[in-house]
Amino acid sequence: MKLFVYHTPELTPTDQMPDCAIAVDVLRATTTMATVLAAGGEAVQVFSDLDQLMQVSESWLPDKRLRAGERGGGTVPGFDMGNSPLDCTPERVQGRRLFISTTNGTRALQRVQNAKKVLAAAFINRAAVVNYVLQQQPETVWIVGSGWEGSFSLEDTACAGAIAHSIIQQTNASLDVAGNDEVFGAIALYSQWQDNLLGLFHHASHGKRLLRLNCLEDLKYCSQIDILDVLPMQHEPGVLKSKK
């Protein structure tokens, strides 16, 4: 197995695809996706284009769909919700499909949607993702951070490091499994902040953006590790369901 970390979708190779791609958007898309599926949502369908989301979701009955739109950290007018995992209660999402478009996370998923297996990861479901990788032993694994509009983000790289660190630790593998230098950097970042992820979020540019939008409770929720045993996996391009 070879692990590769890419800080943003734009940094991934354009001429190849891995056996397994793991998309990460801790604040907050992949955290929200995991939460929706753990709460009984039927599926999550991702879009980069808001108009396309509205068009596709129109064919679903209103009581079978939820439209989530986020730009710049705020809710898009006319949508049922933004990108807060705290809005995804079982009462609200049970049996419904979440149609979602966010500033960054949906772009990461779309960049890797042609990989053999595509997973969505955050701190809250890190263990479920790691367990799947350890069971399946894919030859190549890309962990792709969403970043912020093409730029590096602390929280996504720290989460990539958390995943890589756990895989290496549980296999007793040497760091030879690292396919690029970014793996070492991500593990080092996670190792430094693993006991204070909320503190890291307060330093991160997007964390500060969300704090200005009064989203401290979101940051607290997103900073928890391994609280949900759920594995969002792509079943068809752009559609993720919980792997049973």
Side-chain angles (χ1 to χ4, degrees):
M1 186 193 305
K2 279 289 184 184
L3 299 175
F4 297 82
V5 167
Y6 298 102
H7 300 309
T8 69
E10 292 79 7
L11 292 172
T12 58
T14 56
D15 59 346
Q16 56 187 284
M17 275 290 157
D19 295 305
C20 179
I22 303 169
V24 177
D25 185 9
V26 172
L27 298 177
R28 294 163 288 173
T30 54
T31 301
T32 296
M33 291 171 193
T35 303
V36 166
L37 294 176
E42 180 266 337
V44 175
Q45 189 162 353
V46 302
F47 298 84
S48 55
D49 182 76
L50 292 168
D51 292 334
Q52 187 186 17
L53 183 158
M54 294 298 283
Q55 184 180 351
V56 173
S57 63
E58 197 60 39
S59 63
W60 287 66
L61 293 172
D63 64 346
K64 292 294 182 184
R65 73 178 184 226
L66 277 172
R67 292 164 168 162
E70 173 268 329
R71 289 295 183 270
T75 302
V76 177
F79 281 67
D80 299 314
M81 55 185 284
N83 190 20
S84 173
L86 300 183
D87 290 338
C88 303
T89 60
E91 296 77 19
R92 191 171 198 189
V93 307
Q94 182 85 38
R96 294 175 131 183
R97 177 168 293 204
L98 184 76
F99 296 86
I100 185 169
S101 180
T102 70
T103 308
N104 302 293
T106 47
R107 284 180 23 257
L109 279 161
Q110 290 190 323
R111 169 66 190 93
V112 297
Q113 69 181 13
N114 293 324
K116 291 177 183 176
K117 294 291 181 183
V118 178
L119 312 174
F123 283 112
I124 61 169
N125 71 326
R126 187 268 310 257
V129 172
V130 169
N131 290 340
Y132 175 83
V133 172
L134 293 175
Q135 288 166 10
Q136 299 297 316
Q137 291 289 314
E139 204 167 303
T140 52
V141 179
W142 291 3
I143 310 172
V144 183
S146 298
W148 177 262
E149 296 183 343
S151 298
F152 170 93
S153 70
L154 283 170
E155 68 278 1
D156 289 346
T157 296
C159 186
I163 294 167
H165 179 268
S166 185
I167 289 172
I168 291 168
Q169 193 175 50
Q170 291 191 53
T171 56
N172 294 316
S174 72
L175 287 169
D176 289 342
V177 301
N180 60 2
D181 288 357
E182 286 88 333
V183 175
F184 294 93
I187 291 173
L189 179 64
Y190 168 68
S191 298
Q192 182 176 351
W193 289 94
Q194 59 183 316
D195 297 323
N196 186 19
L197 292 173
L198 183 59
L200 177 69
F201 292 179
H202 275 75
H203 289 290
S205 58
H206 192 38
K208 292 177 181 177
R209 194 176 292 111
L210 290 172
L211 287 170
R212 289 194 293 271
L213 294 169
N214 299 314
C215 293
L216 175 59
E217 294 306 312
D218 276 27
L219 264 61
K220 289 179 179 177
Y221 178 80
C222 296
S223 68
Q224 299 175 95
I225 297 184
D226 302 341
I227 62 168
L228 295 182
D229 185 19
V230 63
L231 184 66
M233 178 180 289
Q234 182 174 264
H235 280 242
E236 58 185 271
V239 178
L240 292 93
K241 297 187 177 185
S242 179
K243 184 177 186 326
K244 305 301 182 186

